[in-house]
Amino acid sequence: MAKFLNTSATNYFLEELIKDARERLILISPFLKLNDRMKELLADKNRLKIDVRIVYGKSELQPREIEWLRGLTYIRTSFCKNLHAKCYMNEELCIVTSLNLYEFSQVNNNEMGILIRRSEDGQLYKDAYDEAQRIIRISDEVRISLERVLSESDSKSSVEPVGKPVDQERHDKLTTSKLGQKLGMKTADLLDRAVASGHIELLDDGKHALAAKGELAGVEFIAKSRFGPYFLWPEDFHPV
């Protein structure tokens, strides 16, 4: 039967749920900000080629963390408008809880939740799984949306540079992860090389900014988007 979880038990079983995933892992949380332990667990799932779906409604990830997530082949992230549900599940366990997948909440807040075991509450697990799948279906996958670059609705925002027609859709530009794949480099290494070559700058707060050399080379920095800031690179760019 379902088991009640207090704050510490929710955090404990959430970690165990992620570690024990062998086929699939679904993480649904309005707020997303990953601590080092959570990133370590997710990276391990990616190495094991476990299908991981993360659905969120608001992200406070830094650009480097966004690039890190997008570099994990088997982890897909989606944005769901008006998301308030918090549900975490693998092929055997499900946690429905008040706990966000958020660093602050896991350390500071008083939370509670319910643990559902598929072997003991099959129908309850199925109901939660079906609803999780519905949320996934109505969400927008971030990986696709970022590489789409700009939609028609974005054309009226300040993101689009003045004087450049929107209908060009920047077919000659690649996101950092795509350029990294083309060059056979990890996204973090590509960013480090671009800093070393003077095309972008590493700020004191750990964020990256476009340098004058990068701007002359055709690199663009998209500061405002639904999924956070990111760079666009000419497809023939190489940081030297």
mmCIF file of all heavy atoms in Angstrom, residues 182-220:
data_model
loop_
_atom_site.group_PDB
_atom_site.id
_atom_site.type_symbol
_atom_site.label_atom_id
_atom_site.label_comp_id
_atom_site.label_asym_id
_atom_site.label_seq_id
_atom_site.Cartn_x
_atom_site.Cartn_y
_atom_site.Cartn_z
ATOM 1 N N LYS A 182 29.347 18.600 -34.256
ATOM 2 C CA LYS A 182 29.991 18.689 -35.564
ATOM 3 C C LYS A 182 31.512 18.662 -35.443
ATOM 4 O O LYS A 182 32.205 18.040 -36.266
ATOM 5 C CB LYS A 182 29.541 19.971 -36.272
ATOM 6 C CG LYS A 182 30.154 20.155 -37.652
ATOM 7 C CD LYS A 182 29.667 21.436 -38.297
ATOM 8 C CE LYS A 182 30.322 21.635 -39.665
ATOM 9 N NZ LYS A 182 29.875 22.892 -40.313
ATOM 10 N N LEU A 183 32.039 19.321 -34.398
ATOM 11 C CA LEU A 183 33.483 19.401 -34.212
ATOM 12 C C LEU A 183 34.032 18.248 -33.384
ATOM 13 O O LEU A 183 35.242 18.158 -33.167
ATOM 14 C CB LEU A 183 33.843 20.730 -33.534
ATOM 15 C CG LEU A 183 33.504 22.007 -34.321
ATOM 16 C CD1 LEU A 183 33.829 23.237 -33.484
ATOM 17 C CD2 LEU A 183 34.249 22.037 -35.642
ATOM 18 N N GLY A 184 33.131 17.387 -32.882
ATOM 19 C CA GLY A 184 33.573 16.272 -32.043
ATOM 20 C C GLY A 184 34.030 16.720 -30.676
ATOM 21 O O GLY A 184 34.946 16.127 -30.088
ATOM 22 N N MET A 185 33.373 17.761 -30.129
ATOM 23 C CA MET A 185 33.754 18.318 -28.829
ATOM 24 C C MET A 185 32.546 18.348 -27.903
ATOM 25 O O MET A 185 31.410 18.477 -28.356
ATOM 26 C CB MET A 185 34.288 19.760 -29.003
ATOM 27 C CG MET A 185 35.468 19.895 -29.928
ATOM 28 S SD MET A 185 35.849 21.639 -30.287
ATOM 29 C CE MET A 185 36.244 22.220 -28.627
ATOM 30 N N LYS A 186 32.807 18.234 -26.614
ATOM 31 C CA LYS A 186 31.757 18.445 -25.636
ATOM 32 C C LYS A 186 31.423 19.933 -25.587
ATOM 33 O O LYS A 186 32.269 20.781 -25.868
ATOM 34 C CB LYS A 186 32.206 17.966 -24.247
ATOM 35 C CG LYS A 186 32.436 16.462 -24.158
ATOM 36 C CD LYS A 186 32.848 16.070 -22.752
ATOM 37 C CE LYS A 186 33.046 14.563 -22.640
ATOM 38 N NZ LYS A 186 33.481 14.169 -21.277
ATOM 39 N N THR A 187 30.180 20.250 -25.228
ATOM 40 C CA THR A 187 29.765 21.651 -25.230
ATOM 41 C C THR A 187 30.602 22.488 -24.267
ATOM 42 O O THR A 187 30.954 23.623 -24.573
ATOM 43 C CB THR A 187 28.278 21.765 -24.866
ATOM 44 O OG1 THR A 187 28.036 21.089 -23.625
ATOM 45 C CG2 THR A 187 27.410 21.142 -25.944
ATOM 46 N N ALA A 188 30.901 21.919 -23.092
ATOM 47 C CA ALA A 188 31.702 22.664 -22.116
ATOM 48 C C ALA A 188 33.098 22.954 -22.669
ATOM 49 O O ALA A 188 33.654 24.045 -22.478
ATOM 50 C CB ALA A 188 31.798 21.887 -20.804
ATOM 51 N N ASP A 189 33.688 21.969 -23.386
ATOM 52 C CA ASP A 189 35.018 22.165 -23.974
ATOM 53 C C ASP A 189 34.973 23.215 -25.086
ATOM 54 O O ASP A 189 35.894 24.022 -25.229
ATOM 55 C CB ASP A 189 35.546 20.845 -24.529
ATOM 56 C CG ASP A 189 35.822 19.822 -23.439
ATOM 57 O OD1 ASP A 189 36.056 20.248 -22.287
ATOM 58 O OD2 ASP A 189 35.805 18.612 -23.739
ATOM 59 N N LEU A 190 33.885 23.192 -25.858
ATOM 60 C CA LEU A 190 33.743 24.187 -26.923
ATOM 61 C C LEU A 190 33.660 25.590 -26.345
ATOM 62 O O LEU A 190 34.301 26.523 -26.847
ATOM 63 C CB LEU A 190 32.504 23.882 -27.761
ATOM 64 C CG LEU A 190 32.129 24.915 -28.844
ATOM 65 C CD1 LEU A 190 33.290 25.132 -29.804
ATOM 66 C CD2 LEU A 190 30.891 24.459 -29.601
ATOM 67 N N LEU A 191 32.896 25.750 -25.276
ATOM 68 C CA LEU A 191 32.796 27.058 -24.636
ATOM 69 C C LEU A 191 34.150 27.497 -24.081
ATOM 70 O O LEU A 191 34.535 28.665 -24.213
ATOM 71 C CB LEU A 191 31.756 27.017 -23.516
ATOM 72 C CG LEU A 191 30.292 26.910 -23.967
ATOM 73 C CD1 LEU A 191 29.382 26.656 -22.776
ATOM 74 C CD2 LEU A 191 29.855 28.170 -24.704
ATOM 75 N N ASP A 192 34.881 26.566 -23.477
ATOM 76 C CA ASP A 192 36.210 26.901 -22.946
ATOM 77 C C ASP A 192 37.153 27.325 -24.072
ATOM 78 O O ASP A 192 37.931 28.275 -23.915
ATOM 79 C CB ASP A 192 36.801 25.700 -22.198
ATOM 80 C CG ASP A 192 36.087 25.419 -20.887
ATOM 81 O OD1 ASP A 192 35.397 26.325 -20.380
ATOM 82 O OD2 ASP A 192 36.228 24.294 -20.366
ATOM 83 N N ARG A 193 37.082 26.628 -25.205
ATOM 84 C CA ARG A 193 37.935 26.983 -26.344
ATOM 85 C C ARG A 193 37.560 28.354 -26.901
ATOM 86 O O ARG A 193 38.434 29.131 -27.306
ATOM 87 C CB ARG A 193 37.778 25.919 -27.450
ATOM 88 C CG ARG A 193 38.418 24.571 -27.122
ATOM 89 C CD ARG A 193 39.914 24.566 -27.382
ATOM 90 N NE ARG A 193 40.203 24.727 -28.785
ATOM 91 C CZ ARG A 193 40.236 23.732 -29.672
ATOM 92 N NH1 ARG A 193 39.952 22.498 -29.279
ATOM 93 N NH2 ARG A 193 40.544 23.957 -30.919
ATOM 94 N N ALA A 194 36.249 28.640 -26.915
ATOM 95 C CA ALA A 194 35.802 29.939 -27.420
ATOM 96 C C ALA A 194 36.234 31.070 -26.496
ATOM 97 O O ALA A 194 36.513 32.184 -26.944
ATOM 98 C CB ALA A 194 34.286 29.932 -27.598
ATOM 99 N N VAL A 195 36.273 30.780 -25.196
ATOM 100 C CA VAL A 195 36.796 31.775 -24.234
ATOM 101 C C VAL A 195 38.280 31.995 -24.488
ATOM 102 O O VAL A 195 38.766 33.135 -24.540
ATOM 103 C CB VAL A 195 36.553 31.308 -22.792
ATOM 104 C CG1 VAL A 195 37.306 32.213 -21.805
ATOM 105 C CG2 VAL A 195 35.064 31.329 -22.461
ATOM 106 N N ALA A 196 39.034 30.893 -24.656
ATOM 107 C CA ALA A 196 40.476 30.986 -24.873
ATOM 108 C C ALA A 196 40.808 31.723 -26.169
ATOM 109 O O ALA A 196 41.811 32.444 -26.246
ATOM 110 C CB ALA A 196 41.087 29.584 -24.894
ATOM 111 N N SER A 197 39.952 31.563 -27.185
ATOM 112 C CA SER A 197 40.202 32.219 -28.471
ATOM 113 C C SER A 197 39.728 33.670 -28.494
ATOM 114 O O SER A 197 39.980 34.394 -29.452
ATOM 115 C CB SER A 197 39.507 31.445 -29.599
ATOM 116 O OG SER A 197 38.094 31.490 -29.447
ATOM 117 N N GLY A 198 39.009 34.069 -27.425
ATOM 118 C CA GLY A 198 38.564 35.455 -27.324
ATOM 119 C C GLY A 198 37.241 35.755 -27.991
ATOM 120 O O GLY A 198 36.841 36.916 -28.094
ATOM 121 N N HIS A 199 36.521 34.715 -28.440
ATOM 122 C CA HIS A 199 35.236 34.936 -29.089
ATOM 123 C C HIS A 199 34.114 35.187 -28.079
ATOM 124 O O HIS A 199 33.156 35.900 -28.380
ATOM 125 C CB HIS A 199 34.879 33.745 -29.972
ATOM 126 C CG HIS A 199 35.728 33.636 -31.199
ATOM 127 N ND1 HIS A 199 36.903 32.915 -31.226
ATOM 128 C CD2 HIS A 199 35.588 34.183 -32.447
ATOM 129 C CE1 HIS A 199 37.448 33.011 -32.433
ATOM 130 N NE2 HIS A 199 36.672 33.764 -33.190
ATOM 131 N N ILE A 200 34.209 34.590 -26.907
ATOM 132 C CA ILE A 200 33.271 34.866 -25.825
ATOM 133 C C ILE A 200 34.066 35.120 -24.552
ATOM 134 O O ILE A 200 35.261 34.809 -24.483
ATOM 135 C CB ILE A 200 32.250 33.719 -25.608
ATOM 136 C CG1 ILE A 200 32.965 32.434 -25.193
ATOM 137 C CG2 ILE A 200 31.416 33.496 -26.850
ATOM 138 C CD1 ILE A 200 31.993 31.307 -24.854
ATOM 139 N N GLU A 201 33.413 35.676 -23.553
ATOM 140 C CA GLU A 201 34.070 36.007 -22.291
ATOM 141 C C GLU A 201 33.425 35.236 -21.140
ATOM 142 O O GLU A 201 32.214 35.000 -21.147
ATOM 143 C CB GLU A 201 33.956 37.511 -22.012
ATOM 144 C CG GLU A 201 34.589 38.393 -23.073
ATOM 145 C CD GLU A 201 34.336 39.870 -22.804
ATOM 146 O OE1 GLU A 201 33.519 40.168 -21.907
ATOM 147 O OE2 GLU A 201 34.929 40.719 -23.483
ATOM 148 N N LEU A 202 34.231 34.843 -20.194
ATOM 149 C CA LEU A 202 33.733 34.212 -18.974
ATOM 150 C C LEU A 202 33.661 35.271 -17.884
ATOM 151 O O LEU A 202 34.670 35.833 -17.482
ATOM 152 C CB LEU A 202 34.644 33.065 -18.537
ATOM 153 C CG LEU A 202 34.227 32.314 -17.272
ATOM 154 C CD1 LEU A 202 32.864 31.655 -17.468
ATOM 155 C CD2 LEU A 202 35.268 31.269 -16.885
ATOM 156 N N LEU A 203 32.450 35.575 -17.413
ATOM 157 C CA LEU A 203 32.248 36.613 -16.418
ATOM 158 C C LEU A 203 32.548 36.097 -15.010
ATOM 159 O O LEU A 203 32.669 34.884 -14.792
ATOM 160 C CB LEU A 203 30.803 37.126 -16.493
ATOM 161 C CG LEU A 203 30.348 37.625 -17.867
ATOM 162 C CD1 LEU A 203 28.897 38.082 -17.814
ATOM 163 C CD2 LEU A 203 31.254 38.739 -18.371
ATOM 164 N N ASP A 204 32.637 37.010 -14.062
ATOM 165 C CA ASP A 204 32.964 36.645 -12.683
ATOM 166 C C ASP A 204 31.921 35.722 -12.059
ATOM 167 O O ASP A 204 32.234 34.926 -11.164
ATOM 168 C CB ASP A 204 33.114 37.902 -11.817
ATOM 169 C CG ASP A 204 34.333 38.730 -12.204
ATOM 170 O OD1 ASP A 204 35.252 38.159 -12.828
ATOM 171 O OD2 ASP A 204 34.361 39.937 -11.903
ATOM 172 N N ASP A 205 30.675 35.824 -12.491
ATOM 173 C CA ASP A 205 29.609 34.992 -11.929
ATOM 174 C C ASP A 205 29.504 33.629 -12.608
ATOM 175 O O ASP A 205 28.580 32.855 -12.342
ATOM 176 C CB ASP A 205 28.258 35.709 -11.998
ATOM 177 C CG ASP A 205 27.848 36.056 -13.422
ATOM 178 O OD1 ASP A 205 28.597 35.708 -14.366
ATOM 179 O OD2 ASP A 205 26.784 36.682 -13.597
ATOM 180 N N GLY A 206 30.462 33.329 -13.508
ATOM 181 C CA GLY A 206 30.462 32.037 -14.174
ATOM 182 C C GLY A 206 29.664 31.991 -15.463
ATOM 183 O O GLY A 206 29.664 30.975 -16.159
ATOM 184 N N LYS A 207 28.973 33.073 -15.805
ATOM 185 C CA LYS A 207 28.199 33.121 -17.038
ATOM 186 C C LYS A 207 29.084 33.549 -18.200
ATOM 187 O O LYS A 207 30.167 34.104 -18.008
ATOM 188 C CB LYS A 207 27.020 34.091 -16.891
ATOM 189 C CG LYS A 207 26.024 33.683 -15.823
ATOM 190 C CD LYS A 207 24.886 34.694 -15.715
ATOM 191 C CE LYS A 207 23.896 34.290 -14.634
ATOM 192 N NZ LYS A 207 22.780 35.258 -14.512
ATOM 193 N N HIS A 208 28.616 33.279 -19.414
ATOM 194 C CA HIS A 208 29.358 33.650 -20.608
ATOM 195 C C HIS A 208 28.705 34.844 -21.301
ATOM 196 O O HIS A 208 27.493 35.009 -21.239
ATOM 197 C CB HIS A 208 29.422 32.474 -21.587
ATOM 198 C CG HIS A 208 30.263 31.336 -21.097
ATOM 199 N ND1 HIS A 208 29.748 30.294 -20.362
ATOM 200 C CD2 HIS A 208 31.584 31.089 -21.240
ATOM 201 C CE1 HIS A 208 30.712 29.440 -20.079
ATOM 202 N NE2 HIS A 208 31.835 29.895 -20.592
ATOM 203 N N ALA A 209 29.532 35.636 -21.955
ATOM 204 C CA ALA A 209 29.047 36.803 -22.693
ATOM 205 C C ALA A 209 29.765 36.857 -24.037
ATOM 206 O O ALA A 209 30.892 36.350 -24.183
ATOM 207 C CB ALA A 209 29.290 38.083 -21.906
ATOM 208 N N LEU A 210 29.115 37.450 -25.006
ATOM 209 C CA LEU A 210 29.689 37.566 -26.348
ATOM 210 C C LEU A 210 30.754 38.658 -26.368
ATOM 211 O O LEU A 210 30.519 39.780 -25.926
ATOM 212 C CB LEU A 210 28.579 37.878 -27.354
ATOM 213 C CG LEU A 210 28.982 38.007 -28.822
ATOM 214 C CD1 LEU A 210 29.589 36.710 -29.336
ATOM 215 C CD2 LEU A 210 27.766 38.400 -29.665
ATOM 216 N N ALA A 211 31.925 38.334 -26.891
ATOM 217 C CA ALA A 211 33.007 39.305 -27.023
ATOM 218 C C ALA A 211 32.968 39.941 -28.406
ATOM 219 O O ALA A 211 32.322 39.437 -29.331
ATOM 220 C CB ALA A 211 34.361 38.621 -26.797
ATOM 221 N N ALA A 212 33.682 41.037 -28.558
ATOM 222 C CA ALA A 212 33.692 41.763 -29.835
ATOM 223 C C ALA A 212 34.213 40.876 -30.960
ATOM 224 O O ALA A 212 33.691 40.894 -32.086
ATOM 225 C CB ALA A 212 34.555 43.019 -29.708
ATOM 226 N N LYS A 213 35.208 40.059 -30.677
ATOM 227 C CA LYS A 213 35.764 39.157 -31.692
ATOM 228 C C LYS A 213 34.713 38.154 -32.157
ATOM 229 O O LYS A 213 34.626 37.835 -33.354
ATOM 230 C CB LYS A 213 36.978 38.424 -31.128
ATOM 231 C CG LYS A 213 37.662 37.507 -32.129
ATOM 232 C CD LYS A 213 38.894 36.841 -31.516
ATOM 233 C CE LYS A 213 39.562 35.905 -32.519
ATOM 234 N NZ LYS A 213 40.768 35.248 -31.930
ATOM 235 N N GLY A 214 33.921 37.659 -31.220
ATOM 236 C CA GLY A 214 32.865 36.717 -31.566
ATOM 237 C C GLY A 214 31.793 37.360 -32.415
ATOM 238 O O GLY A 214 31.290 36.761 -33.381
ATOM 239 N N GLU A 215 31.444 38.601 -32.079
ATOM 240 C CA GLU A 215 30.425 39.313 -32.841
ATOM 241 C C GLU A 215 30.876 39.533 -34.277
ATOM 242 O O GLU A 215 30.100 39.365 -35.222
ATOM 243 C CB GLU A 215 30.118 40.655 -32.170
ATOM 244 C CG GLU A 215 28.929 41.387 -32.761
ATOM 245 C CD GLU A 215 28.531 42.601 -31.943
ATOM 246 O OE1 GLU A 215 29.189 42.856 -30.916
ATOM 247 O OE2 GLU A 215 27.574 43.287 -32.345
ATOM 248 N N LEU A 216 32.158 39.867 -34.444
ATOM 249 C CA LEU A 216 32.698 40.057 -35.784
ATOM 250 C C LEU A 216 32.712 38.747 -36.569
ATOM 251 O O LEU A 216 32.592 38.747 -37.793
ATOM 252 C CB LEU A 216 34.119 40.621 -35.700
ATOM 253 C CG LEU A 216 34.238 42.077 -35.235
ATOM 254 C CD1 LEU A 216 35.696 42.450 -35.032
ATOM 255 C CD2 LEU A 216 33.589 43.017 -36.252
ATOM 256 N N ALA A 217 32.841 37.631 -35.850
ATOM 257 C CA ALA A 217 32.877 36.320 -36.503
ATOM 258 C C ALA A 217 31.482 35.784 -36.814
ATOM 259 O O ALA A 217 31.349 34.720 -37.407
ATOM 260 C CB ALA A 217 33.626 35.319 -35.619
ATOM 261 N N GLY A 218 30.439 36.532 -36.386
ATOM 262 C CA GLY A 218 29.080 36.112 -36.682
ATOM 263 C C GLY A 218 28.390 35.333 -35.587
ATOM 264 O O GLY A 218 27.298 34.798 -35.786
ATOM 265 N N VAL A 219 29.013 35.257 -34.404
ATOM 266 C CA VAL A 219 28.388 34.574 -33.270
ATOM 267 C C VAL A 219 27.283 35.467 -32.719
ATOM 268 O O VAL A 219 27.442 36.695 -32.649
ATOM 269 C CB VAL A 219 29.425 34.268 -32.162
ATOM 270 C CG1 VAL A 219 28.765 33.499 -31.018
ATOM 271 C CG2 VAL A 219 30.591 33.477 -32.730
ATOM 272 N N GLU A 220 26.172 34.887 -32.330
ATOM 273 C CA GLU A 220 25.063 35.633 -31.743
ATOM 274 C C GLU A 220 24.780 35.128 -30.331
ATOM 275 O O GLU A 220 24.899 33.931 -30.058
ATOM 276 C CB GLU A 220 23.801 35.496 -32.585
ATOM 277 C CG GLU A 220 23.890 36.115 -33.958
ATOM 278 C CD GLU A 220 22.575 35.974 -34.697
ATOM 279 O OE1 GLU A 220 21.540 36.447 -34.179
ATOM 280 O OE2 GLU A 220 22.575 35.364 -35.779
#
